[in-house]
Amino acid sequence: KRMKKFLRLGEKISNVSICGNDITKFSILIDGNLAGIKAPPCDCLPYIAKAASVMQDYIFKVTDVRIPILYHNFPLKTDYEIRIGNTNRNDFEGALFKDDDFHIKTVFGNVCIGGGKRGVLYGVYTFIEKYLGVRFFTKECERILYRPKIEIGDIDMFHDTVLEYRELCCWTGWDPDFSVKSKINGNFVRKLREEDGGSVGFAGGFAGLCHTFGHLVPIELFKEHPEYFALNEDGKRDPSGLCLRNANTFKVALKSAKAWLKKEKDPTLISVSVNDGNVAYCRCEKCRKIIEKGGNDTDNLFYFVNKMQRSLEKIYPKITVDTLAYGKVAVPPKKIKPDKNVMVRLCGGHIRNVPFIDTIKRFESGEKILEGDANYVKRVKKWGKICNKISVWDYPYYYMVINTPFPVFGTLLKNTRFFVNNHAKGMYINGQTECAEFTELKFYVQAKVMFDPFMTEEEYNNHVEEFLEGYYGAGWKYILKFIKLCEKTVKYSSAAREPIENIPLPKRKDGSYDETFIVKSNGLFKKAYDAALTDGEKRRVRKSWLQVEYFDLYSLMDIKMANATESEKAALIERNKNLYNELRNLGITRIGERTFMPVVKNFAQSPFEHVYWDFKSIVGDRNNETYEREVYVMIPVDLPEGTKTDISFLYRTNNENESGYLGFYADGKINDTDINPCWHLDGQYREISFKQAEVASVYTVAEKLGLPLNGLMLAFLPRHLFGVVLRVKAMDAGGYLFIRSPRSVQVD
């Protein structure tokens, strides 16, 4: 297959003709009256003005010809026009466009682009991409597929948007201009402006994205109004859930929802959804009644959510109320179906290199690891049959170890199409921060498939190959070979598995690993790097190449260090230090989805320690936000609040902060100690003991210490448990503290 000729915009010019007429005979025509009201000729809707400016700019970049922008009520005109929006030429008279739809057509040699408020811009960018050959790979990297002459014939292209909400939560795509070029309309973090046609997203900001019960009915109300919250199986009120049949609970939630929506200029979505984690579901007499009649907790959820939707639509008739099918309410209801303007968001999917549509057959054929995914697919199909709208929260990334290979490119198109075929109208992709893996490529192709989930496999593969060539340069085929090597090597890729389980290395009889995959991968990236022509291309290749070194050191460094000579140990430590510095210099500051790269002082600490997570621990806490913050953790203790106890436990950490001393809560204050939990070369758990610690709740600690319940320091403490609260005075960014085997003795 011949390599395509990608150039930087402006390197060479092309001659462009439309329906046989040279581009110099054209002008760009737009509506000169704001929303049909008589106004000065320079007035225009912001997104129409932007669309015209974008078209003019890219025609200039491709041809070196700047054609004029004219208003349709000007008396003078050119021979031919590129008409954008609703002009008085009436090209789209009577057409009703959804916000993201567009229509591109030629009429007597003129180009006409109409659409909704975002659709017009999408139509312009589609014309620029499809007919002028421009590719918007990243915010910084745009290329043109060079042809000495571009001849554009008759056009009639209508795009009917399938996914009305498209959110790709990825650091590479926050820029509003690049978001519009990529046709992403979600507003979580990214701020789309009026000139971008606005956005689709959830009211309430960060708090409103999902798991909103704790924000709509604030936990601060628990002390005064425990009846607003769930009565758990043990007969105790639990603030992790709500009483969904309590009229006052609904009034508080409705008031909060209205306050969120009032702050939005053009609200589209609001989430009314269960909290995260192991939450309580109410068993009060009213909530239990429907369950006793054969219903389930999901029925209680939709009693509450449907009531919310009906109340809000009186004020906001276009609003869609979203809720999560999550945890115990992941199963469909038995009695109460969601209203037509309620959108149900589903979360799931673990094995990412197997298309969801194939999981049931493969599971039934004996691949037991696919059981969870097969059940997820069945659940999606069931929800799709009872819902007017479903939405998907999807996870095609490796969140625990983000800088290692994670093959998914063979499933992205198929999975998106599966969701759409089951009535998906929205898609939130839990994207990734800046990392060494292919985050830019993933953003590019996922944006493509969300906007056009019915493209062919050939079109999809063409998007992948075009990106690789335009982004990495002449050695792009070697990177494609690396991607295919990963896909060939992987059996099951899952964010719940270690990198060496996702990309398995055969184990030899002597306990060492066959490193053929690593050797081949380094060879391919070396060839790609040597073929790159510019510093930018070399930097991009090198950044992606680091995923191989990270995989190598994460998986094998500790094993090799155990049996290495002193010189071999020194070489491994130097490699680890170089990897750390390269990642830092490339702006890769995280090593997990929400975990900063730690401040490493001793490079005998392997990358494995950076992302260590012990699922056997009863307590785990990461310092994810700032360097040297206070960290609070609770060790659950089955004693009444206020009881004094002597307590001992095992801890492990990768913290290297010399000022990171432990303290414990007692008598309304934190009692400081001289214990500094620091990382040890042997990686073993250590024992710590405290005398006269006090059993407390998070509410008591917050009140006595003057700390906000929803503040970062206390946000992750369990609200429904009593225990001993520990404080780490300071912890390195990315540091963790894990606790096992607590033993407490009540003190008389």
Side-chain angles (χ1 to χ4, degrees):
K1 195 172 182 179
R2 288 184 60 190
M3 188 176 78
K4 295 177 180 178
K5 183 72 171 176
F6 276 112
L7 299 170
R8 289 172 183 77
L9 293 174
E11 278 191 338
K12 289 190 177 181
I13 61 172
S14 302
N15 294 320
V16 175
S17 65
I18 302 174
C19 296
N21 301 301
D22 191 80
I23 193 68
T24 57
K25 296 182 178 181
F26 283 76
S27 62
I28 298 167
L29 193 78
I30 58 176
D31 183 353
N33 296 333
L34 185 61
I37 301 170
K38 190 174 181 180
C42 59
D43 282 350
C44 180
L45 290 166
Y47 51 86
I48 297 292
K50 178 175 180 176
S53 177
V54 164
M55 180 68 82
Q56 182 188 56
D57 187 38
Y58 279 96
I59 288 175
F60 175 76
K61 289 177 179 178
V62 172
T63 67
D64 205 27
V65 173
R66 185 172 294 278
I67 65 174
I69 297 174
L70 302 178
Y71 296 93
H72 68 171
N73 49 7
F74 276 16
L76 299 176
K77 65 176 186 175
T78 53
D79 294 340
Y80 296 96
E81 298 164 338
I82 299 174
R83 303 167 185 166
I84 298 177
N86 265 335
T87 71
N88 61 11
R89 308 305 195 252
N90 297 323
D91 300 304
F92 300 102
E93 187 174 11
L96 295 175
F97 294 106
K98 298 196 296 289
D99 286 345
D100 291 2
D101 293 350
F102 64 82
H103 192 178
I104 308 173
K105 62 182 179 179
T106 49
V107 178
F108 301 116
N110 301 292
V111 176
C112 310
I113 304 176
K117 61 182 182 179
R118 286 181 297 275
V120 168
L121 275 162
Y122 295 161
V124 165
Y125 281 121
T126 298
F127 180 88
I128 291 166
E129 186 174 25
K130 185 174 180 65
Y131 298 106
L132 298 184
V134 177
R135 299 293 184 266
F136 312 112
F137 294 131
T138 69
K139 176 187 174 183
E140 294 83 13
C141 181
E142 296 184 354
R143 296 286 186 263
I144 177 172
L145 179 59
Y146 175 67
R147 293 156 290 171
K149 185 168 179 60
I150 299 172
E151 296 178 328
I152 302 171
D154 288 331
I155 306 170
D156 191 2
M157 178 198 304
F158 180 79
H159 183 85
D160 183 7
T161 307
V162 180
L163 288 167
E164 299 165 3
Y165 169 59
R166 301 176 304 283
E167 177 61 274
L168 186 40
C169 186
C170 199
W171 284 25
T172 61
W174 295 144
D175 178 73
D177 289 318
F178 181 60
S179 296
V180 178
K181 292 173 185 177
S182 304
K183 304 180 179 72
I184 298 297
N185 65 10
N187 65 8
F188 183 67
V189 180
R190 77 173 50 79
K191 300 300 178 187
L192 297 178
R193 304 151 298 196
E194 192 175 357
E195 67 189 68
D196 303 315
S199 61
V200 179
F202 292 92
F206 275 61
L209 179 66
C210 64
H211 302 306
T212 59
F213 276 2
H215 301 285
L216 293 171
V217 183
I219 58 173
E220 287 84 355
L221 296 174
F222 180 68
K223 191 171 183 179
E224 187 175 349
H225 292 286
E227 72 277 10
Y228 293 175
F229 299 88
L231 186 73
N232 65 22
E233 300 281 0
D234 296 328
K236 297 178 181 178
R237 292 289 175 178
D238 188 332
S240 67
L242 297 182
C243 178
L244 298 175
R245 296 280 178 163
N246 185 305
N248 289 324
T249 303
F250 180 80
K251 287 179 183 178
V252 172
L254 180 61
K255 183 179 179 181
S256 299
K258 287 179 178 178
W260 283 0
L261 290 166
K262 190 174 182 180
K263 293 179 181 178
E264 301 289 324
K265 184 174 182 180
D266 189 16
T268 50
L269 293 167
I270 187 166
S271 180
V272 181
S273 50
V274 295
N275 294 327
D276 200 3
N278 186 22
V279 302
Y281 292 87
C282 192
R283 292 294 179 265
C284 74
E285 183 179 356
K286 289 182 179 179
C287 289
R288 199 174 62 244
K289 195 171 184 179
I290 196 167
I291 296 172
E292 291 170 347
K293 292 183 177 180
N296 58 20
D297 287 301
T298 314
D299 288 303
N300 272 331
L301 175 67
F302 283 112
Y303 167 82
F304 190 85
V305 171
N306 287 347
K307 188 177 177 182
M308 180 70 71
Q309 196 280 323
R310 292 165 193 167
S311 298
L312 291 175
E313 73 175 355
K314 296 174 184 177
I315 310 168
Y316 302 98
K318 294 182 180 180
I319 199 73
T320 295
V321 175
D322 158 278
T323 195
L324 290 174
Y326 186 85
K328 286 188 71 172
V329 293
V331 296
K334 296 180 179 180
K335 302 285 187 180
I336 304 174
K337 291 186 177 182
D339 283 357
K340 67 176 183 177
N341 278 331
V342 168
M343 183 162 67
V344 178
R345 195 169 6 163
L346 293 99
C347 317
H350 303 287
I351 305 301
R352 300 307 316 202
N353 65 311
V354 178
F356 289 142
I357 199 67
D358 296 340
T359 56
I360 295 176
K361 183 178 180 180
R362 288 177 59 170
F363 167 66
E364 291 174 348
S365 298
E367 296 184 62
K368 299 303 182 185
I369 195 172
L370 296 175
E371 181 178 8
D373 296 278
N375 290 335
Y376 174 60
V377 167
K378 293 175 184 177
R379 200 161 64 244
V380 170
K381 289 182 176 181
K382 286 180 182 177
W383 279 107
K385 289 178 181 177
I386 68 168
C387 288
N388 187 47
K389 298 178 180 179
I390 70 167
S391 176
V392 178
W393 188 308
D394 200 29
Y395 304 86
Y397 289 84
Y398 193 12
Y399 302 103
M400 286 189 63
V401 193
I402 66 176
N403 292 302
T404 59
F406 193 63
V408 296
F409 289 110
T411 65
L412 296 178
L413 175 60
K414 293 176 182 178
N415 285 351
T416 305
R417 189 177 296 158
F418 162 71
F419 293 135
V420 167
N421 283 336
N422 286 279
H423 294 173
K425 298 298 181 184
M427 196 165 180
Y428 178 99
I429 294 179
N430 202 134
Q432 195 53 279
T433 62
E434 192 76 36
C435 69
E437 215 243 350
F438 296 111
T439 183
E440 297 88 359
L441 171 59
K442 284 183 179 178
F443 184 95
Y444 182 75
V445 295
Q446 285 180 125
K448 294 289 185 190
V449 301
M450 279 198 289
F451 198 68
D452 184 11
F454 296 108
M455 68 174 68
T456 65
E457 289 283 344
E458 183 181 3
E459 288 172 319
Y460 174 78
N461 291 331
N462 195 48
H463 286 312
V464 172
E465 292 181 13
E466 283 188 349
F467 181 95
L468 294 176
E469 183 181 349
Y471 192 69
Y472 295 106
W476 69 275
K477 288 187 178 179
Y478 298 113
I479 297 180
L480 180 61
K481 287 182 179 179
F482 168 73
I483 291 172
K484 290 183 176 179
L485 175 63
C486 290
E487 292 174 341
K488 180 181 177 181
T489 307
V490 70
K491 189 171 183 182
Y492 303 109
S493 60
S494 166
R497 292 156 63 89
E498 289 291 341
I500 203 168
E501 295 176 300
N502 287 332
I503 305 285
L505 303 181
K507 203 167 187 178
R508 300 188 182 101
K509 291 182 180 180
D510 64 359
S512 65
Y513 285 90
D514 182 342
E515 299 181 39
T516 302
F517 168 79
I518 295 170
V519 172
K520 284 184 177 179
S521 299
N522 281 324
L524 290 170
F525 271 108
K526 175 69 164 57
K527 290 178 179 178
Y529 185 85
D530 290 342
L533 298 176
T534 69
D535 289 342
E537 289 172 351
K538 287 184 180 296
R539 183 179 175 88
R540 293 178 202 127
V541 173
R542 184 58 190 160
K543 178 184 174 187
S544 296
W545 189 354
L546 288 178
Q547 65 185 288
V548 180
E549 180 75 340
Y550 201 98
F551 171 81
D552 185 352
L553 291 174
Y554 179 96
S555 302
L556 303 179
M557 181 176 171
D558 287 334
I559 297 170
K560 291 179 178 179
M561 287 283 285
N563 300 304
T565 64
E566 289 305 312
S567 62
E568 288 170 338
K569 287 181 180 179
L572 284 166
I573 290 170
E574 186 65 20
R575 280 179 59 195
N576 190 26
K577 183 178 181 180
N578 290 339
L579 172 64
Y580 179 90
N581 287 329
E582 273 201 271
L583 290 169
R584 183 179 63 181
N585 292 337
L586 286 166
I588 299 173
T589 59
R590 294 184 186 242
I591 38 77
E593 179 191 10
R594 293 177 302 222
T595 306
F596 279 129
M597 186 184 295
V599 179
V600 180
K601 305 178 183 74
N602 182 348
F603 288 95
Q605 182 182 143
S606 76
F608 174 78
E609 289 293 341
H610 304 172
V611 295
Y612 176 82
W613 192 273
D614 183 358
F615 292 101
K616 295 179 181 179
S617 292
I618 62 159
V619 173
D621 187 273
R622 284 187 181 277
N623 171 20
N624 297 324
E625 302 301 327
T626 59
Y627 176 54
E628 293 189 337
R629 76 165 168 92
E630 290 185 350
V631 175
Y632 285 79
V633 296
M634 176 184 281
I635 303 176
V637 173
D638 191 17
L639 290 170
E641 185 170 16
T643 304
K644 293 294 180 65
T645 180
D646 294 345
I647 188 167
S648 62
F649 54 89
L650 302 177
Y651 84 90
R652 187 164 184 252
T653 184
N654 68 341
N655 186 41
E656 294 187 84
N657 193 330
E658 293 85 353
S659 61
Y661 292 97
L662 280 183
F664 62 91
Y665 175 82
D667 301 319
K669 64 181 188 229
I670 293 293
N671 294 267
D672 289 315
T673 74
D674 59 358
I675 299 172
N676 180 6
C678 278
W679 182 73
H680 300 276
L681 283 170
D682 58 14
Q684 299 299 309
Y685 275 82
R686 296 291 197 276
E687 186 171 15
I688 290 178
S689 297
F690 292 133
K691 297 285 187 181
Q692 296 285 307
E694 181 180 333
V695 178
S697 70
V698 62
Y699 303 99
T700 300
V701 172
E703 182 181 0
K704 296 294 185 182
L705 300 182
L707 297 173
L709 277 171
N710 280 327
L712 191 61
M713 287 184 258
L714 300 181
F716 301 107
L717 295 188
R719 301 315 198 227
H720 59 293
L721 297 178
F722 298 108
V724 174
V725 175
L726 307 182
R727 182 196 69 184
V728 183
K729 189 174 182 181
M731 185 177 278
D732 287 329
Y736 63 71
L737 177 68
F738 288 104
I739 292 171
R740 280 184 178 179
S741 307
R743 297 185 299 276
S744 71
V745 179
Q746 185 171 351
V747 181
D748 294 330

